[in-house]
Each structure stands twice: as C-alpha cells, then as structure tokens.
Amino acid sequence: MRIISVAGQKDTGKTSLTARIIEELTKRNYKVASIKHSHHQMEMDHKGTDTYKHTMAGSQFTVGIGKRTYFNINQTISLERLLFLIKIIDEPDFVLIEGFKNYNYPKISTSPDLDDEYTIEVVDAKNLSDDDVQTLVDKVEKYGYDILPTLHTKECGYHDSHSIAKAIINDELDYDDNNQSELTLSVDGSVIGINGFVEDFLTNTIMGMLKSIKIEEYGPSDFNNIQISINKKEK
C-alpha cells in the first residue's frame, strides 16, 4: 500500500486534483482508497434515514450495509489508525489523503506556502492539463510509501522509518512494496513498526499454531490473510 497526500489552502483545487489523480491511478489498474480531512463537521448520513435515527438515538458506532457499506463513528480517529484500518479491511494499492497539511507523507501541494521537505510537487491545480496529471501520477507511483512506522529497508545507513521516508522522497532510496513487512501491528490504536526478526518470529509462531487447528470447518481454506485482535481485560 502506498500513501500520497494532496494539501493546500481553501479553494486551490485540492478536491478536483485528488479526483483526477484517483481517476488516473484507476485507469492504470490500481485499487485506490481515499481519506478526506475537514475542519468542519462532516456527515456521511442524513436526516430521515434509519441509520441517522440510530445515531440520533445514541449509537456511537453506526454501520450501514447495502450495495455499499459505511461507518459513522462519533469520534475523531487519527490518520495512522485510519490507514491501519483501511489496510486491514481491504488493502488498496494507493491511499489518497486530502487536506492533511502536517503529516510525513509524500505531498502534492496546491499552495506554494505549504511547500516543505515532504513535498514532491507544487502545482496550480486549476490549470493542469491531462498530460500534467499523468506526469504527476508518475511521481505518485515513484514516491508513495506505506504507513510511516512500518517502513523498513535492508539498505545500510537507515535506522528508522523517518530517515527511510526522507530518503525515498530525496531519490536516495527506491520504495518497493515487496520488501515491506507482511505483518502490520497496532497496539492501543498506535501502529507499531517491527523488525524482520520479530516479524518472522510472530508469523512463524502464529502459523504453526493455526496449522494445528481444524480451521476448515469454519470456512477458510488457506492462510493468506490473518487478523488477530487481543483485548486485554483488567483483572
């Protein structure tokens, strides 16, 4: 999974640019997810629907399921947590995040004043041609990377995820999905980076235990995607 942000001041074309990037990535046969950040109250449901009535009655976590599934949660969730949940639910190839100005992900800025060390391009979003967007998406493919705490590399000289991220953006290191961890860990809502030794130990231990369980009677026929949640109870 690779993450790119589109940031800029109000009315600089962030949403239209995000939509054009999503469209171009989709044309290139990528599965794309997106996150929109706003300082205003955002409602995915509306007055009069059954799920709206659930929420108004006091439900803190309302789920609507039909041809689409949506969640209405009465709390703010951190970006890292959202990225983790997206990856767990249905890992896309790319996640476009719009409106997050101060996060350490490759950024396309629609405002020159937001240019910083994570910016890969400053653009005039309202005057981009289709060819410009294609060139921009080439950069999205090149510089996007996974959830920051999970980044690791076998190359010498990079000891933490932040240095890896900066090296990718500065063309000092190529990002490769295939070299990233197959195990993503979250503890108390925080995504935790793990090294290769711990990943191998946890994966082999869990796989060994699962193979001793007759899981076929529950439906699964393989071990391609394993999700474990441990809710430790106070004693």
Side-chain angles (χ1 to χ4, degrees):
M1 187 171 85
R2 301 185 185 211
I3 302 156
I4 289 285
S5 69
V6 177
Q9 303 295 355
K10 185 178 180 180
D11 297 326
T12 56
K14 296 189 301 296
T15 299
S16 59
L17 176 59
T18 301
R20 294 179 75 183
I21 292 172
I22 292 172
E23 183 178 6
E24 178 62 27
L25 285 169
T26 302
K27 286 180 181 177
R28 299 186 187 192
N29 295 317
Y30 291 116
K31 181 192 293 185
V32 184
S34 61
I35 301 173
K36 165 68 178 181
H37 177 263
S38 175
H39 295 291
H40 306 291
Q41 180 73 14
M42 297 185 68
E43 295 291 346
M44 298 300 291
D45 205 353
H46 58 85
K47 189 174 182 178
T49 63
D50 292 340
T51 48
Y52 181 86
K53 293 175 184 177
H54 293 186
T55 302
M56 291 300 98
S59 174
Q60 298 293 303
F61 193 126
T62 305
V63 182
I65 302 176
K67 292 183 179 180
R68 292 177 177 269
T69 300
Y70 65 88
F71 300 85
N72 192 342
I73 306 172
N74 190 26
Q75 61 175 294
T76 300
I77 300 177
S78 70
L79 177 60
E80 301 288 5
R81 179 65 174 164
L82 283 172
L83 292 168
F84 173 81
L85 293 174
I86 287 172
K87 192 169 187 177
I88 292 297
I89 292 172
D90 187 18
E91 182 171 355
D93 298 306
F94 285 89
V95 180
L96 268 289
I97 54 179
E98 180 197 336
F100 292 85
K101 299 177 182 178
N102 300 311
Y103 285 84
N104 299 333
Y105 287 101
K107 179 170 65 182
I108 298 167
S109 176
T110 59
S111 300
D113 57 308
L114 295 182
D115 188 5
D116 61 24
E117 60 186 334
Y118 287 93
T119 302
I120 61 173
E121 191 76 41
V122 178
V123 299
D124 178 0
K126 296 182 178 181
N127 293 291
L128 290 177
S129 68
D130 290 341
D131 287 342
D132 292 333
V133 172
Q134 290 178 18
T135 300
L136 198 57
V137 173
D138 290 340
K139 289 192 172 185
V140 169
E141 290 180 314
K142 179 177 176 60
Y143 294 110
Y145 51 72
D146 210 335
I147 303 174
L148 185 64
T150 70
L151 294 180
H152 72 260
T153 180
K154 295 180 180 178
E155 297 289 336
C156 295
Y158 304 103
H159 305 295
D160 61 85
S161 59
H162 288 276
S163 64
I164 295 171
K166 289 181 180 179
I168 293 170
I169 290 175
N170 292 329
D171 285 320
E172 298 168 359
L173 188 66
D174 291 329
Y175 176 81
D176 186 349
D177 277 320
N178 295 323
N179 289 334
Q180 301 307 304
S181 174
E182 294 181 349
L183 191 155
T184 305
L185 176 66
S186 175
V187 178
D188 293 339
S190 297
V191 180
I192 308 299
I194 55 176
N195 60 38
F197 173 79
V198 175
E199 178 189 359
D200 290 342
F201 175 79
L202 288 174
T203 300
N204 293 333
T205 300
I206 292 169
M207 291 288 288
M209 295 177 67
L210 285 177
K211 288 178 180 178
S212 68
I213 301 173
K214 296 180 180 180
I215 66 169
E216 293 83 0
E217 61 186 87
Y218 298 96
S221 58
D222 51 43
F223 300 94
N224 288 334
N225 191 312
I226 301 167
Q227 300 173 20
I228 296 176
S229 177
I230 300 175
N231 292 310
K232 188 176 180 181
K233 302 184 186 304
E234 294 294 335
K235 295 183 179 179

